């Protein structure tokens, strides 16, 4: 578990001072805005990007990115954003924080600070409220340093930075939240294979140039969790997925609880679990309780999450059942 003592919370960022453009490239604000719109729109198909004035006021070699509007309308992208917003709100429900727009609500570091503290069960040494841009970036720097210390040892690719988050770069914010959700094994199911078209605008020699790139946000759940190894269960799943529906009977946790009682030869009091669960939370409670009984019986803690079993993740369920079989196969 991540703790406050492991986070380096002293802000130590030196912020670049904005440089004035060379005299030879000085143009009016309206010229720059018009130039930016033309550069971007010239490379786009029918739909145009929603351009903000500040998106076209770039310094030499500065780069700005934005999501193509057609990608924002993709159902899988919308689902990804909704799932992440709902997750953040669930985590921070006790803080009475309600996130409605990721870009507008997370850019200043306040919500990210509370989210990391809640997930990591820690306290970061940052000011609670910061109004100035410098103060907000310093807070973000501290929060992101703590995130990096948490994720980097596990091989996560860090696709965000202070300027991107504070600049309300939705792609960067999504990468950050997805990494946190996967690292902390959030009880959510992210849509798989979500990609967006991103417009990248850069200023070179006084002119704005734009191009499109495809940004991959999610792959498969197993790849994002780093589960690249294959075992006998993967082979079984590949060759006979139609014969594995029987494991769905364990999804609500009732059979797992009763099975542990039978295998360990004791009666499980009915008030300890839901015999007829009718909600996701009740099913998760049952599976989590079954996992506790497994630990009491001398089994190792299952690698699967209770949520994986409830969500009908067949391989996770099979691995749980195989552990039971391995231990109790000689029980008469």
């Amino acid at each position: 578990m991540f703790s406050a003592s492991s986070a380096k919370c002293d802000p130590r960022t030196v912020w670049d001072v904005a440089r004035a453009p060379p005299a030879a490239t000085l143009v009016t604000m309206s010229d720059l805005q018009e130039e930016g719109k033309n550069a971007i729109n010239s490379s786009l198909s029918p739909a145009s990007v929603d351009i903000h004035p500040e998106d076209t006021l770039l310094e030499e070699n500065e780069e700005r990115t934005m999501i193509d509007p057609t990608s924002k309308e993709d159902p899988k992208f919308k689902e990804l954003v909704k799932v992440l917003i709902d997750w953040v709100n669930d985590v921070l429900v006790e803080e009475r924080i309600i996130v409605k727009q990721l870009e507008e609500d997370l850019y200043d570091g306040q919500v990210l600070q509370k989210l990391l503290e809640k997930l990591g069960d820690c306290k970061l040494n940052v000011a609670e409220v910061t109004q100035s841009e410098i103060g907000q970036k310093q807070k973000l720097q501290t929060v992101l340093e703590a995130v990096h210390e948490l994720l980097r040892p596990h091989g996560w690719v860090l696709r965000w930075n202070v300027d991107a988050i504070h600049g309300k770069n939705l792609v960067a914010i999504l990468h950050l939240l997805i990494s946190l959700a996967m690292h902390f094994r959030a009880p959510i199911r992210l849509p798989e294979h979500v990609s967006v078209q991103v417009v990248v605008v850069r200023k070179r020699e006084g002119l704005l140039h734009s191009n499109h790139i495809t940004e991959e946000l999610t792959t498969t759940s197993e790849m994002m969790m780093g589960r690249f190894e294959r075992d006998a269960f993967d082979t079984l799943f590949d060759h006979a997925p139609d014969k594995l529906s029987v494991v769905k009977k364990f999804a609500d946790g009732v059979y797992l609880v009763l099975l542990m009682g039978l295998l360990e030869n004791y009666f499980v009091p009915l008030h300890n679990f839901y015999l007829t669960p009718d909600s996701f939370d009740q099913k998760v409670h049952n599976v989590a309780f079954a996992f506790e009984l497994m630990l009491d019986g001398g089994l190792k803690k299952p690698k699967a999450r209770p949520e994986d079993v409830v969500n009908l993740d067949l391989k996770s369920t099979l691995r749980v059942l195989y552990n039971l079989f391995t231990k109790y196969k000689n029980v008469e």
Side-chain angles (χ1 to χ4, degrees):
M1 180 64 71
F2 175 62
S3 64
S5 60
S6 66
K8 297 180 180 179
C9 295
D10 295 327
R12 50 181 182 275
T13 302
V14 178
W15 308 111
D16 291 333
V17 178
R19 303 182 303 278
T25 62
L26 285 176
V27 292
T28 66
M29 181 177 295
S30 60
D31 289 338
L32 265 177
Q33 294 176 12
E34 188 63 30
E35 179 186 326
K37 292 179 182 179
N38 292 337
I40 297 169
N41 293 335
S42 63
S43 64
L44 295 177
S45 55
S48 61
V49 177
D50 182 18
I51 303 297
H52 297 283
E54 61 271 19
D55 290 333
T56 61
L57 298 177
L58 306 180
E59 295 185 21
E60 186 67 18
N61 292 320
E62 187 180 353
E63 185 176 278
R64 198 71 54 87
T65 63
M66 58 207 77
I67 299 177
D68 189 297
T70 56
S71 291
K72 286 189 174 182
E73 295 304 314
D74 182 84
K76 292 177 70 174
F77 176 80
K78 287 184 174 181
E79 180 188 358
L80 175 64
V81 172
K82 183 181 185 302
V83 168
L84 289 172
I85 289 177
D86 290 344
W87 170 61
V88 172
N89 286 333
D90 286 343
V91 173
L92 299 179
V93 64
E94 294 180 359
E95 301 288 337
R96 303 193 178 204
I97 293 175
I98 299 178
V99 171
K100 295 182 179 180
Q101 279 188 294
L102 295 178
E103 315 96 294
E104 298 298 329
D105 295 335
L106 272 65
Y107 80 95
D108 63 358
Q110 181 75 13
V111 173
L112 287 174
Q113 172 206 342
K114 297 296 183 182
L115 181 65
L116 184 59
E117 289 179 339
K118 194 72 174 179
L119 292 172
D121 191 24
C122 70
K123 182 67 177 176
L124 297 179
N125 182 25
V126 293
E128 285 298 319
V129 180
T130 53
Q131 299 294 338
S132 69
E133 179 179 340
I134 291 180
Q136 291 171 353
K137 286 188 172 182
Q138 287 176 336
K139 169 179 271 193
L140 264 177
Q141 180 72 17
T142 300
V143 173
L144 294 185
E145 282 180 0
V147 171
H148 296 171
E149 287 187 6
L150 189 68
L151 300 182
R152 193 178 280 118
H154 299 280
W156 289 101
V157 178
L158 309 180
R159 299 179 178 177
W160 56 84
N161 55 43
V162 170
D163 289 333
I165 301 296
H166 194 267
K168 303 180 183 180
N169 184 319
L170 182 55
V171 172
I173 293 172
L174 288 172
H175 277 307
L176 172 59
L177 291 179
I178 291 168
S179 297
L180 288 175
M182 300 305 293
H183 179 81
F184 285 104
R185 302 180 70 84
I188 58 177
R189 181 176 289 276
L190 297 175
E192 299 182 344
H193 302 295
V194 179
S195 298
V196 292
Q197 287 293 312
V198 176
V199 182
V200 181
V201 182
R202 173 175 292 182
K203 186 173 184 180
R204 293 198 303 267
E205 298 179 353
L207 298 177
L208 296 178
H209 303 267
S210 67
N211 66 295
H212 281 72
I213 62 172
T214 299
E215 185 79 15
E216 185 180 67
L217 295 174
T218 67
T219 54
T220 64
S221 296
E222 289 198 349
M223 289 184 67
M224 289 187 288
M225 287 297 295
R227 300 174 184 172
F228 297 104
E229 75 281 359
R230 292 181 59 81
D231 56 23
F233 294 105
D234 294 287
T235 303
L236 178 62
F237 187 78
D238 290 341
H239 293 284
D242 57 319
K243 303 184 185 305
L244 299 178
S245 60
V246 65
V247 303
K248 295 180 181 179
K249 296 179 179 179
F250 295 90
D252 62 7
V254 176
Y255 279 12
L256 286 176
V257 171
L258 296 178
L259 181 60
M260 283 307 303
L262 289 172
L263 293 172
E264 287 291 326
N265 196 28
Y266 57 71
F267 174 76
V268 181
L270 297 181
H271 66 268
N272 284 336
F273 66 104
Y274 298 94
L275 192 58
T276 56
D278 57 7
S279 70
F280 181 83
D281 289 340
Q282 289 180 357
K283 294 175 183 179
V284 170
H285 169 87
N286 282 355
V287 178
F289 178 57
F291 284 4
E292 292 178 9
L293 297 181
M294 293 175 193
L295 289 174
D296 292 341
L299 280 80
K300 293 183 179 180
K301 182 179 179 180
K303 293 183 178 180
R305 304 176 304 164
E307 291 82 3
D308 295 331
V309 176
V310 175
N311 281 327
L312 303 179
D313 186 310
L314 300 185
K315 282 184 281 188
S316 295
T317 307
L318 282 175
R319 289 185 174 101
V320 172
L321 295 177
Y322 181 74
N323 287 338
L324 291 175
F325 170 76
T326 301
K327 178 174 174 58
Y328 296 103
K329 61 184 177 180
N330 296 320
V331 174
E332 297 181 357

